[in-house]
């Protein structure tokens, strides 16, 4: 199969945006530069070094800076981008293009257009990794015939290799369009080969390769500048002596948006159906025993001026149960204390964080390495369910697209080759855990499908393919042993590999994998190779490893966003499918976390882009000319109002309570309530599915409106409790309720056996929920017997100034006129509605949403009321205190 390419207007517009900045520049054919050492004619040419060479260069821009700036601003206004006030360098242009819409195609087209209009012919594409380098090279190869038909020219392109310097000479000497593709490590890394570009070499007639390149005044195209342009790289890029620099990315850094000329962001690309629709299957454990000492070491954090720290995920005790949380830890960190006193973490004090071995050691002798999980009682179950759900999604999508002639691929990312394939002592290969799981789950799922679908032609296709033949791994190969191996990571922060052979294999097989006659449909690859995958027919992505906080959701989905192609190599876009684009093109992410977590984070990342875009377009839409981040400012005039002072004098006193109650009555009520209400969670695997809708606004994204969720199902499992963890059950409930050990003992002895047996299945949740029920019963018993007494101490108005209160405008903050502050931070729509009523009430003089530092001590804990309201004295002689505007309230 050969991929076919189409002319798309937005790609032509992006190319035109760059070219139009130099409108008025004459089209000058490159002049042949003469060796300065031998010919006087070279003195008259724009020759920039003294080493001497022959070749063609890009002719300089003859326009004045004023003309270029005027052109730039005209282009920016046309493309709804805030006009630049100055040229940021000579010349830096930024192009934002969402992953999957053809960024590489666009800058190849731009190369042809710049050559056609102005005669410029020397270009260097700088990429951040081997993966992107190989993908770019493949794109030049695949589009060669397509562009030759349009421009009647071909590009001479090559990958820079420090041992093949003759190609640099050809780059300079050839009069046609020449492109050198180079990854930043080739000129920015340490090592003899990496430095050759700066060395005077005998094989290069005692010249430096960098000088010959610089003499051509190339146009730099930086692919993913946010990953390329570190401080050292920026400095070295200047040695190329570029005529101009063009920056292409979907995720530019905010401080590097130099003279943006075109934008096709994630939201526009999605709403225009230029990329696949995103669906998510989230897999999570509902309920946790809190007894296994769960640990996940995300990473070791290395600093230049202080000891290393580590990012560790462990279980935390909260008001409603046990949850997982991630914390930055250092030596001496006590997990027992920071978990909220979970028994299983006793003895887990950090003894050493080792940056060399990437490990954390605890005082109890336990050692955990970066990327490892300990105590996850059902890690294997989760991975098996992920594989099963990927297979199900694949078959569902494949059945729909089979008759349209569209091959469906699924991609598994793993963190260790041994989990896919292993070798015995004789060197024979056998299945690792994931490959074995896959073949078992594929066979079982297919057996169910044979009965269910009844589609003869599709069944014939399925039955021709064996489970062992339909999956393959794309990994680096050890040249000595000829065995697959783990990838070398050159960027630990971004988890990116530089294994050229693995990428080469991926790219060579790109088109073969699109053919329905090829049995491989499920692909296993190292997670660090994710950038190498840009096959348009990836419809499922499953990451079989623990989620890392470094990997953003847009990175995870990015490998599958491209619109698919059929067996003729035609892209299935609006021209081919019309309104059916997002019925055919759906990318399902089988996440190793809950659906809610993945969807929330993905929407938040897209919302960040929308916020950045709205800020840059303030010149077009004045109503958005404000910061989204709000820090409340206290209105001193309202603080001095007589109404507020009167209100404050009534409520600012601190108090203490005295209570008497009948212990036997409480015991009876607690036993009855526990038998009636206590339900401790069973451990379940929950699988939820949802799809992205159209994206309307930032608020729509942050409120979860871009996804529609439908529950898929649950799988029950029997958790084996760690009997090594001993509990002082009575003491734990005493600590939570304040009752005596005798009273708690009486309650526990009095409850039914079936109620108490829940403790063995999930002790931490039993303690939390039982204590909550007992406290509620305690409240009902004491409510008639409590007396409050004023103390001499009182709250100061300083509680309104410390600490500062922050929120997000129109997300959880609105402007206010009668509030003590200039804005209100609200916790729910009910609070927002209540505040609006207060603002509109003529009787209200001033009101305040009370800060968390203001509370009343009660027998069941500190109580923070919501509102205090003062009315105008001449209308109402009362000052009112409003306790609650919560949407719900337990008894």
């Amino acid at each position: 199969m050969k991929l076919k390419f189409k002319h798309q207007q937005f790609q032509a517009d992006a190319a035109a945006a760059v070219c139009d900045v130099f409108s008025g520049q004459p089209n000058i054919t490159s002049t042949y530069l003469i060796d300065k050492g031998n010919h006087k004619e070279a003195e008259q040419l724009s020759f920039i070094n003294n080493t001497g060479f022959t070749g063609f260069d890009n002719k300089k821009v003859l326009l004045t800076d004023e003309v270029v700036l005027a052109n730039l601003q005209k282009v920016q206004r046309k493309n709804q981008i805030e006009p630049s006030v100055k040229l940021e360098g000579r010349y830096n242009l930024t192009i934002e293009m969402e992953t999957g819409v053809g960024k590489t195609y666009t800058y190849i087209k731009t190369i042809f257009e710049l050559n056609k209009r102005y005669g410029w012919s020397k270009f260097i594409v700088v990429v951040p990794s081997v993966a992107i380098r190989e993908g770019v090279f493949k794109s030049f190869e695949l589009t060669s015939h397509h562009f030759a038909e349009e421009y009647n020219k071909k590009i001479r392109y090559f990958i820079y290799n420090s041992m093949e310097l003759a190609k640099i000479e050809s780059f300079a000497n050839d009069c046609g369009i020449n492109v050198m593709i180079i990854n930043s490590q080739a000129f920015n890394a340490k090592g003899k080969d990496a430095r050759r570009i700066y060395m005077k070499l005998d094989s290069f007639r005692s010249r430096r390769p960098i000088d010959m390149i610089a003499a051509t005044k190339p146009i730099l195209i930086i692919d993913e500048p946010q990953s390329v342009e570190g401080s050292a790289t920026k400095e070295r890029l200047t040695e190329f002596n570029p005529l101009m620099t063009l920056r292409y990315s979907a995720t530019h850094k905010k401080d590097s948006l130099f003279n943006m000329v075109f934008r096709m962001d994630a939201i526009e690309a999605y709403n225009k159906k230029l990329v696949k629709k995103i669906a998510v299957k989230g897999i999570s454990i509902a309920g946790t025993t809190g007894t296994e000492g769960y640990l996940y070491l995300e990473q070791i954090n290395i600093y230049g001026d202080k000891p290393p720290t580590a990012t560790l995920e462990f279980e935390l005790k909260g008001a409603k149960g046990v949850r997982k949380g991630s914390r930055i830890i250092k030596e001496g960190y006590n997990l027992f204390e920071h978990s909220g006193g979970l028994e299983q973490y006793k003895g887990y004090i950090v003894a050493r964080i080792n940056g060399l071995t990437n490990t954390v050691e605890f005082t109890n002798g336990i050692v955990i390495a970066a990327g490892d999980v300990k105590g996850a009682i059902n890690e294997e179950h989760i991975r098996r369910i992920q594989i099963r759900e990927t297979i199900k999604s694949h078959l569902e999508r494949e059945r729909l697209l089979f008759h349209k002639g569209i091959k469906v691929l699924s991609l598994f990312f793993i963190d260790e080759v041994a989990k896919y394939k292993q070798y015995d002592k004789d060197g024979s290969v056998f299945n690792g855990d994931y490959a074995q799981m896959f073949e078992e789950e594929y066979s079982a799922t297919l057996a169910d499908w044979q009965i269910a679908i009844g589609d003869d032609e599709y069944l014939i296709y399925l039955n021709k393919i064996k489970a062992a033949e339909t999956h393959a791994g794309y990994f680096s190969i050890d040249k000595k042993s000829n065995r697959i191996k783990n990838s070398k990571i050159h960027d630990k922060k971004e988890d990116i590999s530089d294994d050229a052979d693995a990428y080469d294999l991926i790219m060579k097989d790109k088109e073969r994998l699109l053919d329905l006659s090829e049995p491989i449909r499920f692909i296993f690859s190292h997670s660090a190779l994710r950038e190498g995958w840009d096959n348009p027919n990836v419809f499922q992505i499953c990451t079989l490893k623990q989620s890392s906080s470094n990997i953003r959701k847009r990175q995870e989905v990015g490998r599958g966003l491209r619109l698919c192609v059929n067996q003729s190599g035609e892209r299935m876009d609006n021209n081919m499918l019309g309104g059916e684009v997002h019925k055919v093109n759906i990318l399902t992410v089988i996440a190793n976390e809950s659906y809610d977590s993945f969807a929330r984070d993905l929407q938040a990342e897209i919302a960040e882009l929308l916020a950045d875009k709205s800020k840059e377009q303030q010149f077009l839409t004045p109503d958005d000319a404000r910061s989204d981040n709000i820090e409340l400012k206290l209105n001193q005039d309202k603080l001095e109002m007589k109404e507020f002072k009167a209100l404050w004098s009534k409520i600012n006193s601190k108090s203490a309570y005295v209570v008497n109650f009948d212990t036997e009555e409480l015991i009876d009520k607690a036993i009855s309530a526990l038998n009636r209400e206590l339900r401790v969670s069973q451990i379940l695997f929950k699988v939820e599915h949802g799809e992205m809708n159209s994206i309307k606004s930032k608020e729509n994204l942050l409120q979860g409106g871009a996804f529609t969720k439908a529950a898929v199902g649950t799988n029950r499992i029997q958790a084996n409790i760690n009997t090594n963890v001993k509990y002082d059950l009575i003491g734990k409930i005493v600590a939570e309720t304040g009752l005596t050990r005798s009273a708690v003992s009486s309650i526990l002895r009095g409850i039914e056996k079936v109620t108490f047996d829940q403790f063995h299945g999930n002790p931490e949740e039993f303690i939390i929920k039982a204590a909550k029920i007992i406290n509620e019963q305690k409240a009902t018993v004491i409510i008639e017997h409590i007396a409050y007494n004023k103390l001499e101490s009182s709250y100061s108005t300083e509680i309104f100034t410390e600490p500062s209160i922050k929120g997000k405008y129109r997300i959880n903050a609105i402007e206010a006129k009668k509030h003590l502050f200039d804005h209100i931070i609200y916790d729910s729509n009910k609070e927002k509605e209540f505040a609006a009523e207060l603002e509109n009430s003529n009787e209200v003089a001033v009101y305040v949403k009370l800060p968390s530092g203001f509370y009343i001590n009660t027998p069941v804990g500190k109580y923070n009321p919501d509102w205090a309201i003062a009315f105008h004295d001449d209308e109402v002689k009362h000052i009112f205190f409003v306790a609650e505007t919560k949407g719900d309230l337990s008894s």
Side-chain angles (χ1 to χ4, degrees), residues 724-747:
N724 293 325
V725 177
K726 304 300 181 185
Y727 282 87
D728 175 9
L729 176 58
I730 294 174
K732 287 278 188 179
I733 294 181
V734 165
E736 297 290 335
T737 63
L739 300 180
T740 64
R741 290 186 69 91
S742 174
V744 171
S745 178
S746 296
I747 292 170

Side-chain angles (χ1 to χ4, degrees), residues 862-877:
K862 294 177 179 179
Y863 177 68
N864 171 228
D866 279 347
W867 306 88
I869 306 165
F871 290 87
H872 291 293
D873 280 349
D874 57 348
E875 295 183 15
V876 184
K877 299 299 181 186

